[in-house]
Amino acid sequence: MENNPEYFLANFLKDLNITFEKGDLSELLKNEFQEKRTMDFIIPNKENPKIIIESSFLVTTSSGQGDKSKTECNIKKLIHRYYPMAKFIGFVDGIGWYVRKSDLKRMVGAYDEVFTYHKTEIDRFSKYVEKRIK
C-alpha cells in the first residue's frame, strides 16, 4: 500500500494540511449518473471542489488505456459544465503510458494540468495547489 501513488498523494496532501475527499461529485451524481465516475481526490470537498485529481500510474500496457483516456475526456467536459471554476488535474506516470503514446496524448489532453510523481513535479504540484486554494 505504501508504494501506491494514491497513498503517497493522500499523505502528501495531509502533510500540507490540505483537506480533500474522495468519491462522487454531487452534481454529477445527481445529473449525470450514467457518466459520472468516482474521483480520487476532491479539494477541498465534494460540495465546493476547486481541484479534482485523478491518478493513473501504469507499469504495464493494456487496451483499457484507450478507454480510460476517452473516459477522462468525457469527465473533463462534465466537470467544466457543472463546476466551471474547478480544475481537473491528472497525475499520469509509469512506463505503461510511455509505451502507448497515442493514449497518453489523449489522456494528457483531458486535464487542465498534468503532473508526474517525479520530485520536481511534486514540488510544482505543491505550489499549484497552494495557489489555487487560497
Side-chain angles (χ1 to χ4, degrees):
M1 182 68 170
E2 287 93 22
N3 292 329
N4 181 315
E6 287 182 40
Y7 180 83
F8 165 80
L9 193 52
N11 284 321
F12 183 76
L13 291 170
K14 288 175 187 174
D15 289 347
L16 293 175
N17 292 318
I18 295 172
T19 60
F20 65 89
E21 294 180 351
K22 296 178 178 239
D24 296 327
L25 292 160
S26 56
E27 289 299 313
L28 300 188
L29 190 61
K30 182 170 43 175
N31 298 303
E32 305 286 346
F33 187 80
Q34 297 299 321
E35 301 296 321
K36 67 94 182 156
R37 67 184 303 276
T38 302
M39 301 297 162
D40 293 334
F41 299 93
I42 304 165
I43 300 171
N45 57 50
K46 296 174 188 177
E47 289 72 40
N48 184 31
K50 292 183 180 179
I51 299 174
I52 301 160
I53 303 171
E54 282 299 305
S55 173
S56 181
F57 187 95
L58 299 175
V59 293
T60 61
T61 63
S62 74
S63 59
Q65 285 172 257
D67 294 338
K68 181 165 179 56
S69 63
K70 290 173 190 172
T71 297
E72 296 301 77
C73 290
N74 290 334
I75 293 299
K76 178 182 181 176
K77 291 175 188 173
L78 295 176
I79 288 171
H80 285 192
R81 180 183 312 148
Y82 292 100
Y83 302 99
M85 301 306 289
K87 294 296 180 186
F88 189 37
I89 303 302
F91 268 84
V92 181
D93 210 338
I95 193 70
W97 284 112
Y98 178 76
V99 173
R100 296 185 62 110
K101 289 183 174 68
S102 62
D103 291 333
L104 175 61
K105 185 176 181 180
R106 186 176 21 229
M107 187 75 155
V108 167
Y111 300 115
D112 296 315
E113 190 69 49
V114 179
F115 299 90
T116 68
Y117 285 96
H118 188 274
K119 169 130 177 53
T120 58
E121 288 288 283
I122 296 298
D123 293 342
R124 186 172 71 90
F125 171 71
S126 176
K127 292 174 186 157
Y128 180 88
V129 170
E130 288 178 12
K131 182 179 175 184
R132 290 282 309 153
I133 61 173
K134 293 184 179 189

